[in-house]
Amino acid sequence: MSEKPLTARPEIEVRGLHKSFGDNEVLRGIDLEIEQGEVVCVIGPSGSGKSTLLRCVNLLEEPTKGQVFVGGTELTDPDVDIDAVRRRIGMVFQQFNLFPHLTVTENLTLPQRRVLKRDKATAAKVAAENLERVGLSEKANAYPASLSGGQQQRVAIARSLSMGPEVMLFDEPTSALDPELVGDVLGVMRMLANEGMTMMVVTHEMTFAREVADRVVFMDGGVVVEDGTPAQVIGDPAHERTRHFLSRLIDPAMAEVEEETSDQVGEND
């Protein structure tokens, strides 16, 4: 990890964030700050609220209560120009969401031209630069169907970078990939971290979190259970719930056996 400059105001601030879907309260009062240039990995079991938290940061999900600030601007202010703020936030999803009928270059230039109003030549130049950054210059004229899943995800990252974001949000960007394709995508994310990009990453890739993140946040039941350095949260977790989650990642087969045994005991009781 590179040394990251810290600013007086966090790049991302989440204050007292709640989110409910009907009677289901998914987020139960989240407080989180991410400084400029920090890489924060959010980990936790399925249903813990981590992806919902990420989507609330750029208002893809409307918080039920609480405040979200990005770059000092409150996204939850009813009068905010949300489109203007979102231009500063790149987001990469589990699925690649590329237009199948457009070439790689066209996938990168279309949002630049429509949202940023760049001319065709400028958009193409920016696209070429970002394809080179993710190691896919030779695929500029290819169509998404001819690319591997890992290559498509790297194109999706290049597309986000072409919009000039100040913050990048990643929602389990490698979960849809075959294991042998994960490394190239994580390598691009590692490069961005080394360049000083502010990144919030929902992930199950513990090696990436341990080696690249400045901080790791463990969520469960819609709350932050632990927040600290990778050495603290992954290497020496303070809470039993964190230890149990990590043990399931390290040896999922054993965790499944233990869970089944526990269920049987409960039924016998």
Side-chain angles (χ1 to χ4, degrees):
M1 291 179 291
S2 60
E3 290 296 322
K4 309 292 178 69
L6 298 183
T7 57
R9 187 78 184 255
E11 189 70 25
I12 298 173
E13 293 180 78
V14 176
R15 299 178 182 173
L17 191 67
H18 291 254
K19 175 62 182 178
S20 296
F21 296 96
D23 294 332
N24 182 23
E25 190 176 21
V26 178
L27 299 178
R28 303 168 180 266
I30 301 292
D31 293 299
L32 181 67
E33 294 185 355
I34 299 176
E35 303 288 350
Q36 182 182 0
E38 264 197 313
V39 178
V40 174
C41 285
V42 183
I43 65 174
S46 297
S48 61
K50 54 191 186 297
S51 289
T52 299
L53 170 61
L54 195 76
R55 292 172 67 86
C56 283
V57 169
N58 67 353
L59 246 60
L60 287 178
E61 294 289 355
E62 187 79 29
T64 304
K65 185 169 65 173
Q67 295 173 293
V68 177
F69 298 81
V70 175
T73 301
E74 183 183 353
L75 276 68
T76 41
D77 183 338
D79 297 324
V80 73
D81 184 347
I82 187 61
D83 291 332
V85 179
R86 280 186 179 143
R87 291 181 195 129
R88 298 157 53 187
I89 306 171
M91 185 152 185
V92 178
F93 300 89
Q94 298 178 31
Q95 302 300 325
F96 323 122
N97 300 319
L98 301 176
F99 291 111
H101 62 290
L102 299 181
T103 66
V104 165
T105 293
E106 289 168 341
N107 266 281
L108 268 64
T109 56
L110 181 64
Q112 295 183 64
R113 297 177 67 187
R114 288 195 175 177
V115 177
L116 302 181
K117 308 303 180 184
R118 287 175 178 159
D119 61 68
K120 185 175 182 180
T122 301
K125 181 176 183 293
V126 172
E129 290 170 351
N130 284 296
L131 283 175
E132 183 177 0
R133 290 175 76 187
V134 302
L136 289 176
S137 294
E138 75 283 1
K139 301 296 185 180
N141 297 316
Y143 287 88
S146 69
L147 306 179
S148 70
Q151 289 171 332
Q152 290 186 60
Q153 190 62 293
R154 286 152 63 195
V155 171
I157 294 173
R159 178 180 56 190
S160 288
L161 292 175
S162 294
M163 303 298 287
E166 299 168 15
V167 171
M168 287 287 287
L169 309 178
F170 293 86
D171 188 5
E172 300 200 38
T174 60
S175 65
L177 302 180
D178 292 333
E180 67 269 22
L181 303 177
V182 168
D184 288 340
V185 173
L186 294 180
V188 170
M189 294 169 65
R190 189 187 302 266
M191 173 200 71
L192 295 177
N194 289 336
E195 291 176 356
M197 176 67 75
T198 305
M199 296 165 60
M200 184 175 176
V201 185
V202 171
T203 185
H204 282 103
E205 300 290 344
M206 290 302 105
T207 299
F208 176 84
R210 188 189 296 270
E211 295 179 358
V212 179
D214 297 290
R215 284 169 39 225
V216 174
V217 172
F218 173 68
M219 289 183 62
D220 189 33
V223 301
V224 173
V225 178
E226 293 200 50
D227 180 351
T229 66
Q232 292 168 336
V233 177
I234 299 176
D236 187 23
H239 293 264
E240 175 58 33
R241 185 66 190 91
T242 314
R243 290 193 290 270
H244 180 67
F245 170 75
L246 292 170
S247 71
R248 290 172 62 88
L249 287 183
I250 294 169
D251 193 350
M254 181 60 68
E256 183 177 347
V257 170
E258 291 175 353
E259 183 176 323
E260 290 177 355
T261 301
S262 175
D263 290 344
Q264 291 171 359
V265 170
E267 291 169 0
N268 291 335
D269 291 344

